[in-house]
Amino acid sequence: AADAARREGPAKVVLARTLHVVLERPPDPFDLVALLRERFPGCYPYGWQAGAAVFIGASPELLVERRGTRFSCRPLAGSAGRSADPGADRRRGEVLLADPKERAEHAFVVDEITAALRPLATTLEVPPGPVLHRLPGVQHLATPISGTTGTRLLPLAAALHPTPAVGGVPREAALAAIAAVEGFDRGWYAGGVGWADAAGDGAVAVALRGALVRGDQAILYAGAGITAGSHPAAEAAETDLKLAAVLGLFGAP
């Protein structure tokens, strides 16, 4: 994917991987959701059940929220690990904010979201650059976008999904590349999860940092944005960071 981005392929493709976990006994998935809520208070915990399958997680990323005429988004792209040492942790964040590859990956997301929102927004407020969004184990580049609109929540979500944070740029070419090389069905992973009311208000998060639980087995998902500046080992390490959040629920180190 990185080689393709250096030539004439999609400028960014988000490729995901899965991790298959076999448990000693079937867990109560909604007990795991409660644990996620406790461990990740700055995220959006979720649980969605259909038959024997339950998709659980704690998403760090808000796709879109609408309250009255106000809407907000908080796209994430670009990641780094955390450190228990405050000084080292601060330096990691500074390096992330200054990294040209990470900032370019993030800019793809912000530019596409802004373009999708502009026809639907009465006013649009986009900061000049990203800020750090710090979570347990990982920190991200984030850009809080807001404004006013007469459009209801679900049409807003439909216009935005899939953002370049889970798909790529250009969208259709990136989705075709994902289908060709990723090797598994994403299912609910990277979709939208949230709520809406009759007035068109509500909130939708991107279904990330999740696991599909069926009985005594779980499939975990994590992805990374691949651009011309990507290095495979670093991207794989980023997915390890993201998997760790959910893997810890099952007693793994």
Side-chain angles (χ1 to χ4, degrees), residues 61-112:
E61 184 164 359
L62 177 67
L63 179 65
V64 61
E65 181 175 20
R66 180 186 184 271
R67 296 185 183 276
T69 60
R70 294 290 303 177
F71 74 88
S72 59
C73 306
R74 194 176 176 86
L76 307 178
S79 307
R82 302 294 307 274
S83 173
D85 176 77
D89 192 57
R90 183 181 66 256
R91 288 190 292 275
R92 288 185 181 184
E94 291 170 350
V95 169
L96 177 61
L97 276 170
D99 189 311
K101 181 266 178 187
E102 301 292 343
R103 290 186 71 101
E105 179 185 338
H106 187 80
F108 282 131
V109 181
V110 173
D111 290 348
E112 289 293 311

Side-chain angles (χ1 to χ4, degrees), residues 164-180:
V166 297
V169 178
R171 179 187 286 184
E172 295 308 318
L175 295 181
I178 290 169

Side-chain angles (χ1 to χ4, degrees), residues 27-226:
D28 183 322
F30 288 94
D31 284 350
L32 299 179
V33 175
L35 281 176
L36 287 165
R37 182 181 293 112
E38 292 174 6
R39 295 183 185 183
F40 300 96
C43 293
Y44 300 88
Y46 60 86
W48 176 265
Q49 183 167 10
V54 187
F55 192 53
I56 65 164
S59 174
E61 184 164 359
L62 177 67
L63 179 65
V64 61
E65 181 175 20
R66 180 186 184 271
R67 296 185 183 276
T69 60
R70 294 290 303 177
F71 74 88
S72 59
C73 306
R74 194 176 176 86
L76 307 178
S79 307
R82 302 294 307 274
S83 173
D85 176 77
D89 192 57
R90 183 181 66 256
R91 288 190 292 275
R92 288 185 181 184
E94 291 170 350
V95 169
L96 177 61
L97 276 170
D99 189 311
K101 181 266 178 187
E102 301 292 343
R103 290 186 71 101
E105 179 185 338
H106 187 80
F108 282 131
V109 181
V110 173
D111 290 348
E112 289 293 311
I113 285 178
T114 302
L117 286 171
R118 191 167 282 117
L120 305 175
T122 308
T123 63
L124 189 58
E125 300 152 21
V126 184
V131 297
L132 287 176
H133 183 47
R134 291 187 167 99
L135 300 167
V138 64
Q139 51 192 324
H140 301 284
L141 296 180
T143 296
I145 298 171
S146 60
T148 58
T149 184
T151 305
R152 295 162 67 92
L153 177 75
L154 295 183
L156 287 171
L160 293 172
H161 177 74
T163 76
V166 297
V169 178
R171 179 187 286 184
E172 295 308 318
L175 295 181
I178 290 169
V181 304
E182 201 166 65
F184 66 91
D185 184 351
R186 289 189 177 189
W188 292 322
Y189 167 69
V193 59
W195 64 274
D197 66 15
D201 290 348
V204 178
V206 185
L208 304 173
R209 307 297 195 277
L212 182 67
V213 181
R214 287 193 184 96
D216 64 352
Q217 300 190 36
I219 301 174
L220 284 59
Y221 303 83
I226 312 301

